[in-house]
Amino acid sequence: MRLNEALETLKNEGYKYTKKREDILSFFTEEDGYRTASDLLNYMADKYDGLSYDTVYRNLHLFRDLDILESTDLNGEKHFRLSCGHDEHHHHFICHSCGKTKTIKACPMNYIQQDFPGYTIENHKFEIYGKCPACQ
Amino acid sequence: MRLNEALETLKNEGYKYTKKREDILSFFTEEDGYRTASDLLNYMADKYDGLSYDTVYRNLHLFRDLDILESTDLNGEKHFRLSCGHDEHHHHFICHSCGKTKTIKACPMNYIQQDFPGYTIENHKFEIYGKCPACQ
DNA sequence: ACAGTAAATCGTAATCATTCTTATTTACAA
DNA sequence: TTGTAAATAAGAATGATTACGATTTACTGT
């Protein structure tokens, strides 16, 4: 179960256990797709009255730094999902209606022949956008 | 010259000629790389005192709608460059130090075998980030 | 169980990019 | 030259995100 694994990571790295952190992680394990800070805030608002922005963003960034979450920019807003860190490197189809993803197994970096003399390549992004079967 | 071509497009589409529009286009023809709204605002500020945000954003969006500019999200901020619309479909290496780009000729969509049954594919993004030779 | 301490959170203000609104100015067509 | 729609100015509003001082809480060692 991804949730316990993530809680374990937190513990190992010396971060404290809080119910809020568990709930944030539950949200993402349940959701399986890209979600925004305010999606999370809404979810948490049911249980926690007056939850601070600070808490939401601080934890989102912490989790991303610990590779528990990964993020992408979608129309000017950061979207987060559970990290696929352990799996083989891959990319995502992202449904821009529901945010759910589908793995793209291939990575374009393996296919481009072109070289970039004098350039330093640091990272790359490949995403396909559209509608998933459920959102047609 | 790309600039005249762009001014021509504006005229053909029934938009008015203004010196500001010409200067905005000059900025991008000179720059050759991804630039933000505030990069442009700074450039324009020399000539135009109290230039309105509205003018900057309205024209950036207009130019993008007319395919004179193209844009991409880079760390939560929109970046614009002259459109490569006429050229064959391609992607970009983007130097995240100076914003200059290099064409990637291949498109991953031609290489992925995987199909997406029931999915509608609307668009895609492939970008490589790093440092260009000049920014090493 | 208990106290000390650093980490986590709250409450809220600040910031940054962007959009919106109203009044005014301007390019251009008749 | 004049009428009109388009363009702009000035600045307020919005939305996402970050910052910060004050308070609370999880955990460590006793």
Side-chain angles (χ1 to χ4, degrees):
Chain A
M1 191 204 202
R2 297 278 328 213
L3 201 160
N4 290 332
E5 194 187 328
L7 288 170
E8 197 60 29
T9 305
L10 277 178
K11 188 165 203 171
N12 293 340
E13 299 285 335
Y15 293 96
K16 292 182 177 169
Y17 168 86
T18 69
K19 183 72 177 124
K20 285 187 183 97
R21 282 185 170 158
E22 178 170 342
D23 286 342
I24 292 173
L25 292 169
S26 299
F27 173 71
F28 284 106
T29 50
E30 286 165 21
E31 286 293 328
D32 160 48
Y34 277 106
R35 298 287 173 257
T36 66
S38 69
D39 290 337
L40 174 59
L41 204 55
N42 286 343
Y43 172 84
M44 298 288 283
D46 291 345
K47 280 190 156 176
Y48 303 99
D49 198 33
L51 181 75
S52 169
Y53 284 103
D54 200 45
T55 303
V56 167
Y57 283 105
R58 187 169 20 76
N59 283 309
L60 285 174
H61 294 156
L62 172 64
F63 294 162
R64 192 185 43 193
D65 292 347
L66 295 176
D67 256 320
I68 293 169
L69 295 179
E70 60 186 62
S71 74
T72 191
D73 268 350
L74 252 60
N75 26 330
E77 195 171 357
K78 245 159 218 121
H79 288 61
F80 298 84
R81 55 158 286 147
L82 278 188
S83 166
C84 311
H86 297 321
D87 310 348
E88 203 179 347
H89 171 74
H90 63 263
H91 296 275
H92 286 126
F93 168 96
I94 304 174
C95 176
H96 62 213
S97 165
C98 72
K100 287 193 180 166
T101 60
K102 180 178 165 62
T103 296
I104 305 165
K105 289 178 198 117
C107 172
M109 299 307 277
N110 300 328
Y111 293 100
I112 56 173
Q113 298 301 318
Q114 201 172 351
D115 61 354
F116 296 85
Y119 287 75
T120 312
I121 288 176
E122 287 165 7
N123 53 324
H124 64 280
K125 178 169 184 166
F126 174 41
E127 284 171 350
I128 303 179
Y129 310 101
K131 285 209 170 120
C132 74
C135 291
Q136 296 299 334
Chain B
M1 190 205 204
R2 296 278 329 211
L3 200 160
N4 289 333
E5 194 187 327
L7 288 171
E8 197 61 29
T9 304
L10 278 179
K11 188 165 200 169
N12 294 339
E13 299 286 332
Y15 293 96
K16 293 182 178 172
Y17 169 84
T18 68
K19 183 70 177 127
K20 286 189 184 96
R21 282 186 170 158
E22 178 170 343
D23 287 341
I24 292 174
L25 292 169
S26 299
F27 173 71
F28 284 105
T29 51
E30 286 164 22
E31 286 294 326
D32 161 47
Y34 276 106
R35 299 287 173 257
T36 66
S38 68
D39 290 338
L40 174 58
L41 204 54
N42 287 343
Y43 172 84
M44 299 288 283
D46 292 345
K47 280 189 154 174
Y48 302 99
D49 199 31
L51 180 76
S52 168
Y53 283 102
D54 198 47
T55 302
V56 167
Y57 282 105
R58 189 167 21 75
N59 283 307
L60 285 174
H61 294 157
L62 172 64
F63 294 163
R64 192 186 42 194
D65 292 347
L66 294 175
D67 256 321
I68 292 169
L69 296 180
E70 60 186 62
S71 74
T72 192
D73 268 350
L74 251 60
N75 24 336
E77 197 172 356
K78 247 163 215 114
H79 288 60
F80 298 84
R81 55 158 287 145
L82 278 188
S83 166
C84 311
H86 297 322
D87 310 349
E88 203 180 344
H89 172 73
H90 62 263
H91 295 275
H92 287 125
F93 168 95
I94 303 173
C95 176
H96 60 214
S97 166
C98 71
K100 286 191 180 167
T101 60
K102 180 177 165 62
T103 296
I104 305 166
K105 290 180 198 113
C107 172
M109 299 307 277
N110 299 327
Y111 293 99
I112 55 172
Q113 298 301 318
Q114 199 172 351
D115 62 354
F116 296 86
Y119 287 76
T120 310
I121 290 177
E122 286 165 5
N123 54 322
H124 64 281
K125 178 169 183 166
F126 174 41
E127 285 172 348
I128 304 179
Y129 311 101
K131 284 209 172 119
C132 73
C135 292
Q136 296 298 334

